[in-house]
Amino acid sequence: MLRRIVRLFAAFVMVMSGVVAGTVATAGTAHADGCYTWSRTLSQGASGSDVTQLQIRLGGYPGYGSVLAVDGSFGPATAAALKRFQSAYGLAADGVAGPNTYNKLYALQDDDCTPIHFSYAELNRCNSDWSGGAVSAATAKSNALRTMWKLEALRHALGDQPIRVTSGFRSYSCNSAVGGSSSSRHLYGDAADLGAGSHSLCTMAKQARYHGFRGILGPGYPDHNDHTHLDHRSSQFWSAPTCGV
């Protein structure tokens, strides 16, 4: 809530500054951002680090059963994901990333590049420096960031009601302490366990199929009756028999 208030105040200041200068800031003018600022319009055929940054934020909009590649190349899949994102937020769904799209992304992210409704602390209650897992600390943290943007898309699709993350990255020692599998995706930083709250476990397991998660485990799968597990494993495996997934 505090972060939302700060952003609303910042938007008010920006508009008032435009009024004082004799112009009014509009949705068609993108502003600089504390996390990342795009400097050009992006569409199919573009490539580069700015496309990569866009793809990270569109990771939750690949379509049913799909995963959006984060490869810095703006192809048809990225355009389709962008259109879904634009439609979800009431923007013109033209598959072109310009000022209106960027302003919405700026409004959705904090200065550390996490989406406004999730944080690194939520995705790591185990080892604050992200070390001790199956990948380097930098990779684990990067994987968690991509997971958070998928969760942000899931949250929005479910009516912008809170989603409760009960577990994220684990070091080997943390994973062993909670009885996790030796091959758990939590060791890679790309997994999140969700507890029931605003939504049932089955509701989240079913909706997650649209938001870029290759691994979905929930009620009816052994040891998953009290949470829904989402991850980014190498191949698709969905099992929540109680939910029909």
Side-chain angles (χ1 to χ4, degrees), residues 70-95:
V70 179
D71 58 7
S73 180
F74 196 130
T78 299
L82 178 54
K83 288 178 182 179
R84 294 186 190 96
F85 171 84
Q86 291 168 326
S87 179
Y89 284 99
L91 304 175
D94 57 7

Side-chain angles (χ1 to χ4, degrees), residues 234-245:
S234 59
S235 59
Q236 188 181 95
F237 183 73
W238 297 346
S239 184
T242 301
C243 310
V245 176

Side-chain angles (χ1 to χ4, degrees), residues 122-209:
E122 286 181 278
L123 271 289
N124 183 0
R125 296 187 176 93
C126 166
N127 192 351
S128 60
D129 66 4
W130 298 86
S131 65
V135 292
S136 70
T139 297
K141 191 173 183 180
S142 175
N143 288 344
L145 178 64
R146 298 183 188 192
T147 296
M148 282 187 271
W149 279 103
K150 295 178 183 183
L151 292 176
E152 185 71 26
L154 173 63
R155 185 186 191 279
H156 185 61
L158 292 175
D160 282 317
Q161 297 300 308
I163 287 178
R164 185 166 63 94
V165 178
T166 61
S167 184
F169 169 73
R170 300 174 190 160
S171 65
Y172 278 107
S173 59
C174 288
N175 190 60
S176 177
V178 299
S181 165
S182 61
S183 59
S184 171
R185 294 306 305 183
H186 289 283
L187 296 165
Y188 296 81
D190 64 17
D193 290 346
L194 310 180
S198 301
H199 314 289
S200 71
L201 299 179
C202 285
T203 294
M204 293 186 288
K206 290 178 178 179
Q207 186 62 41
R209 296 175 292 181

Side-chain angles (χ1 to χ4, degrees), residues 30-40 50 57 102 106 109:
H31 61 275
D33 186 75
C35 160
Y36 183 84
T37 301
W38 284 270
S39 60
R40 60 171 178 157
D50 49 0
R57 289 151 181 80
Y102 297 145
Y106 297 150
Q109 65 185 18

